[in-house]
Amino acid sequence: MKALTWHGKHDVRVETVDDPEILNPRDAIIRVTSTAICGSDLHLYDGYIPTMQKGDILGHEFMGEVVETGPKSTLKKGQRVVVPFTISCGSCYHCGHRQYSACENGLPADNQDIAATAYGQPMAGLFGYSHMTGGYSGGQAEYVRVPFSDVGPIVVPDGVDDDKVLFLSDILPTGWMAAENAEIAPGDIVAVWGCGPVGLFAVQSAFIMGAARVIAIDHFPTRLALAKRFGAEVINFEETNVHEALQDMTGGIGPDAVIDAVGLEAHGLSFDNIVDQIKVSTFMDTDRTHSIRQAIFACRKGGRVSMPAVYGGYVDKFPLGALMEKGLTLKTGQTHVQRYLEPLLAAVLEDKIDTTFLISHRLPLDQAAEGYKMFHDQQNDCTKVVLKTEAARG
């Protein structure tokens, strides 16, 4: 089969690799029809995530048709499914508490020591996202093996276009959980850092949850325009002092809740971010954390901080004092995708949530490498790349 493989920083290639096989009774094989490039895939592309190996198949946002099942899979051949990016067993302690991204069994035993050393405990398994998260082959391919297929994938009705439901795999539930973690109450003012895919879904979700005002912060005009489309007020951080603007817009109080949807590759020419970039480039640090610092400083006293953005390692200059002295609540984590699939699918099918607005480019899988470069280099014009396989084209 054809698949997109990683070979190093800014080096991804579509190659012919072995087809996946059923390895465990609960496995299923999916023939991929649509798969997307995620903003967090760019962290792999830029070489920020450790434990990648040459030839690893990328991609964690995908859907397709069931073509083969293990004896304990509950899926049936021919069904169309969207697959969560987290790999969860459904029966461990954490899955029992609906904390699917903290699953104890999604990560193979051979890989658990890596994550335990980095984070104190092993994390959940993820598709196509390094050997620290399991070394699983991803979905930017013609076929993919899906472990625990009786727990993860959700069946979607025939006749519903892939583009309408594909983002249930990751970014729509992630944006929703970001807003949920912000504990938004009717009338709240919410500020969202980053108008990429997750940030834009967080903007939509915040309004659905009752926010009176949402203020979106970015520097790409196209993305800011998309945020305005959903009713957000916008701040271009290249033209405006964000902290001062937020103080002015909230009567000196600050937003009730803030959402960091930027993550470890924050942009900007502020002093702290320039220092971060120097440290990262000289291997003295791993993450650029300007956006979460700014969010904590901006949030009102007693407010809530939600951090769906990806961070990978240790950081300095973290405003722990501000977090404590202001009495803020911080919630974060990989998304518990399986928890949200059914209600969000219903909302999409009832047109309560807009999804296809985000897609700026549709490319064949053969052009996946070009899609990565475009998404990386042209972020004003390229908001989301969806890759289509031969199976999608009939």
Side-chain angles (χ1 to χ4, degrees):
M1 70 170 184
K2 293 179 180 177
L4 184 78
T5 58
W6 184 91
H7 289 271
K9 183 177 180 179
H10 299 163
D11 184 2
V12 295
R13 311 169 192 173
V14 176
E15 299 181 313
T16 299
V17 301
D18 292 339
D19 289 356
E21 299 178 349
I22 297 288
L23 300 179
N24 295 299
R26 297 167 68 182
D27 287 353
I29 304 296
I30 307 298
R31 180 169 59 189
V32 176
T33 53
S34 297
T35 179
I37 302 174
C38 181
S40 58
D41 286 330
L42 296 183
H43 302 324
L44 302 175
Y45 188 68
D46 284 334
Y48 281 103
I49 304 300
T51 72
M52 290 294 294
Q53 297 179 12
K54 289 186 177 182
D56 284 348
I57 299 173
L58 302 181
H60 59 268
E61 297 180 356
F62 61 94
M63 64 175 293
E65 178 186 351
V66 180
V67 294
E68 188 177 354
T69 60
K72 292 187 178 180
S73 173
T74 55
L75 298 178
K76 296 183 175 67
K77 293 181 182 179
Q79 288 180 319
R80 297 174 65 228
V81 295
V82 178
V83 181
F85 77 93
T86 49
I87 299 171
S88 310
C89 74
S91 57
C92 69
Y93 173 87
H94 293 288
C95 287
H97 287 76
R98 306 186 74 204
Q99 297 171 337
Y100 295 101
S101 69
C103 176
E104 296 284 352
N105 298 314
L107 195 62
D110 291 347
N111 299 76
Q112 292 193 2
D113 286 349
I114 304 172
T117 299
Y119 302 128
Q121 293 175 319
M123 61 181 69
L126 308 178
F127 286 101
Y129 215 81
S130 85
H131 290 261
M132 184 165 60
T133 62
Y136 291 99
S137 294
Q140 289 166 1
E142 292 182 310
Y143 295 89
V144 62
R145 179 178 75 93
V146 177
F148 303 120
S149 65
D150 54 324
V151 175
I154 186 168
V155 178
V156 297
D158 290 333
V160 178
D161 191 78
D162 278 16
D163 290 352
K164 192 166 185 174
V165 294
L166 172 61
F167 301 143
L168 289 167
S169 59
D170 176 2
I171 52 175
L172 175 53
T174 298
W176 185 268
M177 186 170 128
E180 184 178 83
N181 279 348
E183 299 178 0
I184 296 166
D188 274 350
I189 301 174
V190 181
V192 178
W193 273 256
C195 294
V198 169
L200 290 168
F201 280 129
V203 168
Q204 278 197 78
S205 301
F207 278 123
I208 292 171
M209 293 180 186
R213 297 168 62 195
V214 178
I215 303 167
I217 301 146
D218 207 302
H219 67 134
F220 293 114
T222 298
R223 297 187 177 201
L224 290 169
L226 288 172
K228 289 178 70 173
R229 170 178 168 176
F230 293 107
E233 303 161 61
V234 300
I235 297 173
N236 185 327
F237 67 74
E238 289 187 339
E239 301 173 353
T240 305
N241 183 299
V242 174
H243 185 80
E244 291 178 1
L246 288 172
Q247 288 292 296
D248 290 343
M249 296 167 79
T250 59
I253 300 296
D256 299 289
V258 296
I259 298 173
D260 172 18
V262 177
L264 62 85
E265 291 189 75
H267 296 280
L269 295 177
S270 61
F271 176 76
D272 66 315
N273 201 42
I274 292 171
V275 172
D276 283 345
Q277 293 186 47
I278 294 170
K279 285 195 168 188
V280 167
S281 66
T282 55
F283 303 101
M284 295 173 64
D285 214 335
T286 59
D287 300 13
R288 305 201 302 261
T289 54
H290 172 68
S291 58
I292 188 62
R293 290 191 203 106
Q294 196 172 70
I296 288 171
F297 270 96
C299 190
R300 72 160 171 83
K301 291 173 282 189
R304 290 91 61 195
V305 182
S306 172
M307 193 177 73
V310 173
Y311 290 95
Y314 293 87
V315 300
D316 60 11
K317 301 182 299 299
F318 186 80
L320 190 61
L323 187 73
M324 180 269 168
E325 295 290 354
K326 295 173 72 174
L328 304 181
T329 299
L330 171 63
K331 286 189 176 182
T332 186
Q334 295 284 6
T335 308
H336 307 306
V337 179
Q338 292 86 339
R339 181 194 298 180
Y340 303 106
L341 284 177
E342 290 188 8
L344 288 179
L345 174 60
V348 169
L349 296 179
E350 294 167 8
D351 294 321
K352 293 180 179 178
I353 296 177
D354 188 1
T355 54
T356 57
F357 79 94
L358 190 61
I359 302 171
S360 57
H361 296 79
R362 296 172 179 85
L363 300 174
L365 179 63
D366 286 342
Q367 295 179 25
E370 292 92 328
Y372 266 78
K373 181 171 176 55
M374 183 190 309
F375 195 31
H376 182 271
D377 296 344
Q378 303 175 33
Q379 293 189 29
N380 182 54
D381 301 315
C382 187
T383 53
K384 192 67 174 179
V385 179
V386 172
L387 306 170
K388 301 289 186 178
T389 67
E390 289 289 342
R393 300 199 293 274

